[in-house]
Amino acid sequence: MTFVVLLVLVLGVAGYGTWLYLWAGHRLRTTSALAPYPGRPAASKGADWLLIGSDSRSGLSAGERRRLHVGGDAGRNTDTLMVVHYGDNGPYLVSIPRDSYVAIPGHGKNKINAAYALGGAKLLTRTVEQATGLRLDHYAEVDFPGFVDVVDSLGGVRICVPKGGLRDSHSGADFGAGCQRMNGVQALAYVRARYTDPEGDLGRVKRQRQLVSAVAHEAFSASVVLNPWELVPFLRTSFDAVTVDDDTDVRALLGLARRMRDLSDGKGATTTVPVSAEPQVSGVGDVVVWKEPDARALFRALREDRPIPDSDTK
């Protein structure tokens, strides 16, 4: 599980230096993620990003997999999916549970995170577009090691663990309650935990948003922004970890970063796609079923760049 959004937050402070802008452009990695197809949704008002964290173990040694508590699964799925919208309203950060049960073009219904394994970024973006009715403008992704490196490049982040703490042998989480500083491996374990969380996947997406705020706070702190010995390594690490669609450039990332900074300052709102049930489907496993009337209202508001319905900003 990882958060691409964490990697681009710092770009909001890079705008003060032309050399940083040019340097960042040379380091930016791209992939073909967005493509036309019959019936693609019309362009929305404002801008819509899909941010994903890939749980690919590709390239990880056995020792690295043990250190990160990620096992040896050779498949490619998405551990985190978030839509960011901004325009005249917002910004809004919407978590899409990875177990959301949706139609995957050409593959029937399955968990939304399976789309990446079945057809890579192009199938994933098409699946998200058809499930939400949003036409995505941009795409960005990062994997496990990249996420860990970015958090470590900040010297860790401060996370307040709720009462009761959090322990999960699958993710490696072992945290008592209270505010504490976590390094990259610990932060990864914290946000990937779900087996001991009574809210399961829904609890995990809340922790993902919590970490987004924590990294945003750290990335825009004076100790990073005003210190080139901190800023440049963080930028370098971020660009080495992030991959974006072919049409996304540094200017677009800068626009996203500014809106993410607004979110960290308490503007806009964050939420999860409304859920009606979490049944078990034969051959698929435990899934998350969206509450269709409320989900449609949420995505319609985003398409039309209107204020979204009541949201969970925690």
Side-chain angles (χ1 to χ4, degrees):
M1 197 302 310
T2 46
F3 303 98
V4 175
V5 64
L6 309 184
L7 306 181
V8 299
L9 288 169
V10 74
L11 290 175
V13 305
Y16 68 78
T18 301
W19 73 271
L20 276 175
Y21 186 90
L22 296 175
W23 171 80
H26 283 296
R27 297 190 72 95
L28 196 59
R29 296 189 301 178
T30 63
T31 188
S32 180
L34 300 170
Y37 57 86
R40 189 180 185 193
S44 305
K45 296 180 180 179
D48 294 293
W49 288 74
L50 178 64
L51 311 180
I52 77 157
S54 164
D55 67 1
S56 172
R57 281 80 167 164
S58 176
L60 292 178
S61 68
E64 288 172 325
R65 290 196 297 270
R66 286 193 298 271
R67 183 173 71 94
L68 301 179
H69 292 270
V70 297
D73 187 353
R76 297 192 313 161
N77 290 303
T78 48
D79 212 66
T80 303
L81 296 95
M82 294 181 177
V83 170
V84 176
H85 171 88
Y86 53 84
D88 291 338
N89 285 287
Y92 300 123
L93 175 64
V94 181
S95 296
I96 299 177
R98 55 169 275 171
D99 292 340
S100 296
Y101 193 51
V102 301
I104 299 178
H107 298 275
K109 295 194 73 173
N110 206 328
K111 297 179 181 182
I112 197 168
N113 74 328
Y116 189 79
L118 292 168
K122 281 186 179 179
L123 183 58
L124 176 62
T125 56
R126 180 172 178 175
T127 299
V128 171
E129 286 187 338
Q130 295 197 335
T132 64
L134 294 170
R135 186 184 183 112
L136 298 170
D137 300 290
H138 300 285
Y139 168 92
E141 70 170 87
V142 71
D143 58 15
F144 284 144
F147 167 78
V148 170
D149 289 345
V150 168
V151 173
D152 284 343
S153 73
L154 287 169
V157 292
R158 186 173 183 269
I159 296 290
C160 293
V161 180
K163 183 179 180 180
L166 180 67
R167 291 169 179 83
D168 187 327
S169 61
H170 291 82
S171 76
D174 186 10
F175 306 105
C179 296
Q180 52 205 277
R181 197 158 193 88
M182 296 183 186
N183 62 27
V185 172
Q186 292 169 326
L188 179 64
Y190 181 72
V191 295
R192 289 187 64 241
R194 66 169 175 163
Y195 291 99
T196 58
D197 188 329
E199 293 187 274
D201 199 33
L202 300 182
R204 178 161 59 172
V205 297
K206 291 181 180 179
R207 290 194 299 280
Q208 291 169 0
R209 294 199 298 269
Q210 181 187 9
L211 188 58
V212 167
S213 296
V215 174
H217 177 78
E218 199 72 39
F220 286 107
S221 67
S223 62
V224 174
V225 174
L226 301 179
N227 184 352
W229 303 109
E230 298 289 338
L231 176 61
V232 173
F234 180 41
L235 285 169
R236 182 174 60 247
T237 301
S238 297
F239 277 103
D240 286 346
V242 70
T243 300
V244 297
D245 66 274
D246 292 332
D247 294 327
T248 293
D249 57 16
V250 175
R251 186 181 302 275
L253 282 171
L254 179 60
L256 174 62
R258 288 170 176 161
R259 273 64 180 197
M260 297 309 299
R261 180 172 57 187
D262 288 343
L263 275 171
S264 71
D265 289 340
K267 301 175 184 177
T270 67
T271 192
T272 302
V273 179
V275 171
S276 64
E278 299 179 68
Q280 186 172 79
V281 176
S282 177
V284 179
D286 294 330
V287 302
V288 170
V289 177
W290 294 354
K291 190 175 183 179
E292 285 300 328
D294 293 345
R296 285 197 299 270
L298 169 63
F299 292 123
R300 184 168 58 249
L302 296 180
R303 284 196 305 273
E304 298 173 359
D305 191 29
R306 294 186 288 102
I308 64 172
D310 289 344
S311 55
D312 171 17
T313 58
K314 296 181 180 179

